[in-house]
Amino acid sequence: MPREPSEPTLPEITAATLEARLRVAAGRVGAAPAFVDATGVRATHQDLRRIRDGARERLRDAGVTPHDRVGLVMGHDWRMALALTAAMSACAVAPLDPGLADRELVAYLARLRPRAVLADTGSAPRLRALLGEGPPVLCWSVDDLDGSTDEEPSAEDPALLLFTSGTTGVAKTAQITQGNLAAAVDSIGRTLRLDAGDRALNAMPLHHAHGILTGLLAPLASGGSTICGPLTTREALLELVRAVAPNWYSAAPVVHHTLLTMIRSMPPIADELRLRVIRSTSSALPVRLLEQLEGTLAAPVVEAYALTEAPGQVASNPLDGPRKPGTVGVPQDASIVLLTGDGELTDAPGSTGEVLIRSANVVPGYLDVPASEQPFLDGWLRTGDQGTFDEDGYLTLRGRMANIINRGGEKISPPEVEEVLVEHPSVREAAAFGRPHPTLGEETAAAVVLHAGSSATEDELRVFAAARLASYKVPVQIHFMPALPRNSVGKILHRRLRDLAARRAVGRERRPSPPG
């Protein structure tokens, strides 16, 4: 019989709301830097407090109430980060990717139905042309915002709206409250031992929970600073390292790989970058990449687990305790159980099932979605992820429940196949997925990206995998691709790969060759 899962032991939250948490930090560190880039300090913690007060006053003057929705479209720099932080203290803000095509941007705003849209001077004309008689476009410079209001949001007030594929794969909008954000930043801060002396290199986009919670809000709530600057070139990265000296960062695996490639191509970056910790979440981190990061940057890599519906983190490898590559660690300020195929909830070692979560950072639900379609089971958040606990309570994610390959009843975890393929010296990235089979239902296929200048054949990779996997897990088909299809934060789009395999299954060539 599975044992009854334990409830989380939640440390006392320092403040009930994100706004209160930021005020505590400002009172403690005062004129210390909050936002910095290669040119210097852009705003102190005291500045940030005045700007938040000023943003609330401007939004109230525009008729925006605490429960109204506001879109935000700005370029990814310190101004966008500052405007987002300020607006979240006043209403429910939905940051949108400024790189969206016009049609996409209009569609997202139509779903949001905002009271207003915040924009910078570069984005405002485009938005006004697209929205016409729709919601007003408010364009202000953060340099002009100054206020002294004593308005204080409650823990239940909505602060952040993030578009997500949802735990079921259907596009939804997660409502994140002030209380959710306070719990999330406190948990991250405790796990990573953040303090006022830390300087975070924000390597993730600011329309995604990872970039907002870990790269922006957790550093600010700890009294530290966040670095917002372009990381598109080796020279820009070296300039930031020399000017600001970041000592930690958090990113998705695809960003780790990009940064590692840049650092290795310009040795002075590795020589001058002094990191205390590297954090990874958003998708599975290949063990080989983890080892390369630690070997090159001489800093521990802490892999964690978070969702848009439970932003920040719910599990993490400990910074000072045992770290287990390939796992997302142990629960952090959360209770995590597995829903087995028999309908049992368990956290017993060796158990496997859908990951369910209870935590103070779990969102109240999706926006404009009926109660029957919310992702909850008896108060537990259903994540749609499959996981397994080991004997020490460390959680290993086996992939999305929707992506698990069912080969005639044999369940195959895509990350297990991917981990083997990237061990091959020619393979840079890999994604495993199910392709249709007339009698088995599905069989394993894979897509790979080779290192520049490397070569491999499909037969070679299949033989390599066969020596390391059970025969039924070996991909029957391997596609060579210049890049894997990903979303804006680097998650692999397995559905597109399945569609590709289905199209190629009809009249496909026996063995595709890698590009020359």
Side-chain angles (χ1 to χ4, degrees):
M1 290 290 292
R3 61 189 175 90
E4 183 66 20
S6 58
E7 287 296 317
T9 301
L10 297 177
E12 182 181 353
I13 300 299
T14 306
T17 66
L18 173 68
E19 173 62 19
R21 191 72 183 85
L22 295 176
R23 287 183 182 273
V24 168
R28 190 173 75 249
V29 300
F35 293 88
V36 295
D37 63 14
T39 65
V41 177
R42 291 295 192 169
T44 68
H45 282 268
Q46 288 177 339
D47 295 333
L48 176 58
R49 178 170 180 171
R50 291 195 303 270
I51 290 169
R52 291 200 313 277
D53 290 344
R56 280 196 296 276
E57 291 176 4
R58 293 284 187 93
L59 287 167
R60 297 296 176 262
D61 290 345
V64 176
T65 71
H67 286 265
D68 280 333
R69 309 167 190 173
V70 168
L72 187 148
V73 184
M74 292 185 176
H76 288 300
D77 63 8
W78 68 273
R79 294 177 184 83
M80 191 276 192
L82 189 50
L84 173 60
T85 308
M88 280 192 295
S89 70
C91 58
V93 186
L96 297 171
D97 182 358
L100 290 171
D102 288 353
R103 180 176 177 178
E104 294 173 305
L105 191 54
V106 170
Y108 276 115
L109 289 172
R111 276 177 53 192
L112 184 65
R113 302 196 308 277
R115 181 65 179 265
V117 179
L118 305 180
D120 54 20
T121 54
S123 304
R126 172 195 179 199
L127 285 164
R128 287 176 176 137
L130 289 174
L131 298 177
E133 298 299 317
V137 176
L138 307 179
C139 180
W140 357 286
S141 167
V142 293
D143 299 326
D144 298 330
L145 292 178
D146 197 3
S148 58
T149 179
D150 59 0
E151 179 183 341
E152 189 75 28
S154 71
E156 295 74 28
D157 282 347
L160 187 61
L161 301 173
L162 293 178
F163 296 104
T164 174
S165 60
T167 63
T168 60
V170 179
K172 295 181 174 69
T173 307
Q175 305 181 78
I176 304 173
T177 68
Q178 281 276 334
N180 294 151
L181 294 176
V185 298
D186 273 14
S187 183
I188 295 169
R190 281 190 292 270
T191 299
L192 300 182
R193 299 195 173 183
L194 300 181
D195 62 30
D198 284 312
R199 297 167 299 283
L201 179 65
N202 194 346
M204 295 295 291
L206 288 171
H207 57 271
H208 183 263
H210 190 163
I212 297 170
L213 269 294
T214 309
L216 174 62
L217 298 181
L220 296 178
S222 69
S225 57
T226 184
I227 301 163
C228 303
L231 301 175
T232 53
T233 67
R234 296 171 298 173
E235 292 74 19
L237 179 58
L238 180 59
E239 183 182 21
L240 273 176
V241 168
R242 288 177 170 171
V244 189
N247 69 342
W248 74 280
Y249 81 92
S250 180
V254 66
V255 177
H256 289 307
H257 184 274
T258 299
L259 289 174
L260 186 61
T261 300
M262 293 168 65
I263 289 168
R264 285 177 162 176
S265 66
M266 185 176 279
I269 302 177
D271 294 338
E272 298 180 34
L273 189 56
R274 300 287 183 267
L275 296 179
R276 181 174 65 81
V277 62
I278 300 167
R279 183 176 182 269
S280 185
T281 187
S282 294
S283 59
L285 178 68
V287 174
R288 184 179 177 187
L289 179 55
L290 182 152
E291 293 170 348
Q292 291 170 336
L293 285 166
E294 292 192 337
T296 301
L297 298 175
V301 175
V302 173
E303 190 169 6
Y305 177 38
L307 305 91
T308 303
E309 296 83 0
Q313 67 177 22
V314 290
S316 178
N317 278 270
L319 179 58
D320 299 322
R323 289 178 288 115
K324 293 191 177 185
T327 78
V328 294
V330 295
Q332 300 289 326
D333 306 325
S335 184
I336 301 178
V337 297
L338 304 177
L339 176 64
T340 69
D342 296 330
E344 299 281 356
L345 297 183
T346 180
D347 58 1
S351 54
T352 298
E354 182 183 1
V355 178
L356 273 59
I357 298 167
R358 279 180 178 164
S359 177
N361 64 326
V362 169
V363 303
Y366 295 127
L367 193 67
D368 301 330
V369 170
S372 60
E373 297 177 26
Q374 296 288 352
F376 297 102
L377 174 66
D378 297 332
W380 294 90
L381 171 69
R382 300 189 63 165
T383 68
D385 292 323
Q386 187 185 75
T388 302
F389 281 113
D390 71 7
E391 65 281 0
D392 298 316
Y394 283 65
L395 177 66
T396 297
L397 298 179
R398 301 298 184 187
R400 299 290 294 167
M401 299 289 289
N403 293 335
I404 297 297
I405 303 163
N406 188 345
R407 183 186 182 276
E410 295 280 6
K411 303 301 196 309
I412 302 166
S413 167
E416 183 180 6
V417 179
E418 294 160 2
E419 195 72 47
V420 166
L421 290 172
V422 297
E423 288 177 7
H424 191 282
S426 293
V427 177
R428 191 184 84 190
E429 294 181 289
F433 54 95
R435 54 163 262 171
H437 188 277
T439 57
L440 295 171
E442 286 185 307
E443 57 187 352
T444 306
V448 300
V449 178
L450 301 181
H451 288 290
S454 297
S455 63
T457 66
E458 183 175 358
D459 282 335
E460 178 185 347
L461 295 182
R462 282 171 42 79
V463 169
F464 181 86
R468 294 161 175 80
L469 292 170
S471 59
Y472 67 89
K473 299 179 183 179
V474 176
V476 299
Q477 183 181 24
I478 297 177
H479 303 274
F480 293 87
M481 304 181 70
L484 298 177
R486 297 179 182 273
N487 65 11
S488 61
V489 293
K491 289 187 178 180
I492 297 171
L493 301 173
H494 286 79
R495 188 176 302 172
R496 289 191 186 176
L497 292 172
R498 288 195 296 270
D499 292 344
L500 170 68
R503 291 196 302 270
R504 291 187 179 179
V506 180
R508 73 177 180 88
E509 296 180 359
R510 182 175 177 273
R511 288 288 182 264
S513 299

